Amino acid sequence: MTAAQAVTLYATVQEIPPDHRGGYTLGRDELIVEDVDYDQALAAARRRVPEGWRIIALRVDRERVATD
């Protein structure tokens, strides 16, 4: 039996503001992606970001998982 690491990536996404002036109420949400490694999880999160939104923060949890 070997141990692998499962990755849970939490990506906070926010609407891109229309300009730099500020004063806007922008939508914000969180995407949760589980995968076998960080790069794959990040790629999956990027694919799920809606048009006109961007990732503004990432948090990663790693968990050791036993495999056969």
Side-chain angles (χ1 to χ4, degrees):
M1 187 179 305
T2 60
Q5 282 195 332
V7 174
T8 303
L9 184 134
Y10 301 88
T12 303
V13 295
Q14 181 181 49
E15 286 182 288
I16 298 171
D19 56 46
H20 66 280
R21 288 181 267 181
Y24 304 105
T25 301
L26 302 172
R28 185 179 283 202
D29 201 0
E30 183 173 69
L31 304 174
I32 301 171
V33 178
E34 294 180 355
D35 215 314
V36 295
D37 71 25
Y38 174 81
D39 291 329
Q40 289 182 27
L42 181 57
R46 286 182 172 150
R47 287 191 300 271
R48 292 179 50 194
V49 175
E51 184 73 28
W53 290 59
R54 62 185 173 185
I55 295 174
I56 61 169
L58 294 172
R59 183 171 60 90
V60 177
D61 286 338
R62 298 177 193 272
E63 182 179 321
R64 292 186 85 58
V65 178
T67 60
D68 291 330

